[in-house]
Amino acid sequence: KYAFWGSQPVMQFSDEAKDVEDGPIDAPKTVEEVRKEPYTLPSSFVWCECNINDPHEVQEVYTLLHNNYVEDDDAMFRFNYSPEFLQWALQPPGYQRDWHVGVRVKGSNKLVAFISGIPASIRANGKPVPAVEINFLCVLKKLRSKRLAPVLIKEITRRVNLRGIWQAAYTAGVVLPRPVCGCRYWHRSLNPKKLIEVRFSSLQPRMTMARTIKLYRLPASTTTPGLRPMEAHDTAAVTELLNGHLAQFKLTQHFSEDEVAHWFLPQPLVVDTYVVDSQLAQQQQQQQQSSEAQQLPAGAADAAAPSSSSSSSNGAGSSSSSSSSSIVSVVSFYTLPSSVLGHEEHNELRAAYMFYTVPGPTPLTQLMQDALTLAAGKGYDVFNALDLMDNASFLKELKFGIGDGALQYYLYNWRMANTPLQPKELGLILL
Ligand code: NHW
Ligand code: EN5
């Protein structure tokens, strides 16, 4: 068992929690010592670099994943990352083209396998660990169980090591040596009728369809005053809020401003980020009060309206940051549809996945209720979240139900004391 992973610099199940200290597993190496030649593939295949900016090449990666990527345990749904999403996911600041690794068939040139890495500043127990995040490992179904995956993993390791990076973070649905944390997926129905039709969920005993639809109905509009889409000029404020919030978690990521702009500025059908702008909240409150005042008999209006001279602009904003920004909270989600396999009527499930969220002074449950409202309004069928960070505090109240899938978190060439972590100690989200 684990012929490959047993030979890699990863924590092993045999490692005892008590004698583990944080740090690298392999003896430190230099770039000069890294193997210069690519690993050998079976003779009918060749390595390639996938140029994700080229519309044809991103389509090839899209098609490989569309037909061969991750499915649920019953093979009813398969992740269907869009080409636009792949371009976003694979090209953050500092991305390397040679970390978008493909395998093609000699002669036909067909793309049959893929693996990718992107740079990320990981923090483990407060210590910065320069790392890559590995994702989108995929081998064509017809080529499974031929030990191609270990070759892909060794080759991307070599290419990452050639740039002086020695650690990686990755997630998987399967258990390998050795998870740093195990999380569960939770699901919030937005379109219960469709979810039941495609058998993503089932009608609960003693529930009718009509009662189920009513149970999951969301308001037409959000409730948090000052909630609006993030804009480019919010980047510095969001960076400060996000890094400040994430610092409490034992395993997390640290974001530069450029990275925040990349990962959070809204892109339709890729990523959605909303901020709570306390200044806007105050304006909205004043507008509401003055419109309420107009409903009153003449003369009463002056008494009801707040004195507009007291616009000490940064009122509520003072609660969190030293800067002069009025941004106090952040909530975000990304779009990852799944193909519905073998269904007559429906072929796609529209899913939103909770991304990073900073509650600030806004109750997290309220912020997430607004995220659900926004996602429902945009036509998503389901909103998914993991039980990490503070999510356990809202999942049940907001009518999320636990899924049948788990997500394991891993580190390559880094040991962490006192692992596995509890999900609430984990502050890292991979796509
Ligand atoms: S997790 C999603 C992975 N992709 C899929 O599940 C798609 C559908 N499945 C496939 O395409 C997110 C194939 O089944 C794959 C395995 C390609 C998964 N991670 O070639 P063989 C990510 O992308 C081990 C790691 O015969 P196969 C994260 C397995 O335990 N290892 O299998 C990726 C066995 O090793 P063992 C996995 O089914 C992180 C060996 O592969 C794995 O034809 C990668 C068998 O290979 C998985 N998800 O292909 C690690 N699934 O020891 C990055 C199976 O048990 C490490 N295996 O004998 C860091 C690198 C960078 C370091 C930089 C310093
Ligand atoms: C790399 N970034 O298993 C990630 N999904 O629960 C790679 N289940 O959607 C690793 N089986 O529970 C990803 N419905 C690992 C996850 C792979 C995909 C996966 C699970 C996560 C999932 C659904 C459908 C199950 C279909 C049958 C599920 C129940 C939802 C229900 C809603 C109403 C309230 C109760 C729960």
Side-chain angles (χ1 to χ4, degrees), residues 233-245:
H233 67 261
D234 301 321
T235 301
V238 169
T239 306
E240 189 167 302
L241 277 176
L242 185 64
N243 287 327
H245 178 67

Side-chain angles (χ1 to χ4, degrees), residues 4-5 64-65 68-70 101 112-117 134-140 144 148-154 156 170-172 174 176:
F4 173 65
W5 283 111
L64 174 72
L65 299 178
N68 303 277
Y69 201 52
V70 177
V101 184
V112 293
F114 187 74
I115 190 168
S116 67
I134 303 295
N135 207 347
F136 307 114
L137 167 61
C138 187
V139 168
L140 194 77
R144 297 279 168 86
L148 269 177
V151 186
L152 284 154
I153 293 166
K154 285 188 279 186
I156 196 148
Y170 51 102
T171 57
V174 295
L176 307 164

